[in-house]
Amino acid sequence: MQSLTFLSDDTVSFPPVNHALDEPNGLLAVGGDLSSKRLLQAYYSGIFPWFNEDDPVLWWSPDPRAIILPGQLHISKSLAKFNRRHNWKITINHAFDQVIHQCANLRADEQGTWITKAIEQAYIKLHHLGQAHSIEVWENDGLIGGLYGISVGKVFCGESMFHTKTNASKIAMIALDMHLQASEYELLDTQLMNPHLQSMGAKEISRKDFIQLLSVLREKNTVSDCWKPVVLRE
């Protein structure tokens, strides 16, 4: 059964994801707010917000879903060589605000941002609650790449990445993959397939299979304090 639901501010519940539309793929609901409680309920349910500046809040659960299993990230020989040659500093949760702001700027330059000011502030609140995290790549004291996402049990929901120097976002992905393995995560949700993700080993599974995985993994705990601010590589 497919039907588009209009949300109110009175509840943070969502309709079942199998109510999402086929076209546009995965559009499930419209409206509501970007409160931390609603956002966490969305990710817990396999749903994420995605909308442009002038749109109402749109909530999605596409079918199929793009994922990467930690430890199965594809690193080409040329990228591995590049990573060894460019010994950039890599950190966790040192500059979340800067990372999401840079991601917003990149999207604005390329295609019209979906990371609005409201989105920025909502995810910064999630970061302060210990639910949203960032990986940063630095050259000297300059932030040249990074990514951010949401932690839900043993699932990390990747949201966006950016780079100002070639391959810096890919280096952030390598760092994330290694960190997820060390922290006993079992799934990286990359939402929608694109050529960049496909080249790095992403694969598609059905929404049904994704929700089944999520329903188990969201209840599991990861390594304690695994997202404390640290330097992964000097």
Side-chain angles (χ1 to χ4, degrees), residues 24-54:
N25 178 19
L27 181 58
L28 176 66
V30 178
D33 58 17
L34 293 170
S35 67
S36 296
K37 189 174 182 180
R38 187 188 299 276
L39 282 169
L40 292 175
Q41 180 61 39
Y43 285 98
Y44 187 85
S45 305
I47 301 162
F48 57 87
W50 184 30
F51 58 98
N52 290 319
E53 186 77 54
D54 297 327

Side-chain angles (χ1 to χ4, degrees), residues 174-230:
I174 293 173
L176 174 66
D177 180 66
M178 294 177 66
H179 182 65
L180 294 182
Q181 291 180 69
S183 303
E184 300 179 0
Y185 278 76
E186 296 185 35
L187 189 65
L188 170 57
D189 170 28
T190 57
Q191 299 178 350
L192 293 166
M193 184 66 80
N194 61 44
H196 170 68
L197 291 171
Q198 191 169 30
S199 73
M200 298 199 77
K203 63 180 183 178
E204 291 183 321
I205 62 173
S206 70
R207 179 171 58 216
K208 180 180 178 181
D209 286 346
F210 174 78
I211 295 299
Q212 287 178 341
L213 276 172
L214 177 64
S215 67
V216 174
L217 297 178
R218 68 191 180 191
E219 304 299 338
K220 294 185 177 183
N221 295 322
T222 53
V223 174
S224 177
D225 294 330
C226 65
W227 290 106
K228 64 181 180 182
V230 296

Side-chain angles (χ1 to χ4, degrees), residues 146-162:
L147 57 82
Y148 74 95
I150 309 298
S151 180
V152 183
K154 288 198 173 187
V155 180
F156 187 78
C157 305
E159 274 298 309
S160 189
M161 62 178 65
F162 84 95

Side-chain angles (χ1 to χ4, degrees), residues 111-196:
Q111 60 193 24
T113 185
W114 60 267
I115 305 176
T116 64
K117 289 295 184 184
I119 284 281
E120 279 193 56
Q121 293 306 310
Y123 283 77
I124 288 170
K125 286 182 181 178
L126 286 181
H127 174 63
H128 291 159
L129 290 172
Q131 299 292 147
H133 309 288
S134 58
I135 302 282
E136 303 95 13
V137 180
W138 308 84
E139 186 175 56
N140 301 319
D141 293 326
L143 183 65
I144 60 170
L147 57 82
Y148 74 95
I150 309 298
S151 180
V152 183
K154 288 198 173 187
V155 180
F156 187 78
C157 305
E159 274 298 309
S160 189
M161 62 178 65
F162 84 95
H163 68 272
T164 60
K165 290 211 168 182
T166 300
N167 287 335
S169 61
K170 291 181 179 179
I171 300 305
M173 276 288 287
I174 293 173
L176 174 66
D177 180 66
M178 294 177 66
H179 182 65
L180 294 182
Q181 291 180 69
S183 303
E184 300 179 0
Y185 278 76
E186 296 185 35
L187 189 65
L188 170 57
D189 170 28
T190 57
Q191 299 178 350
L192 293 166
M193 184 66 80
N194 61 44
H196 170 68

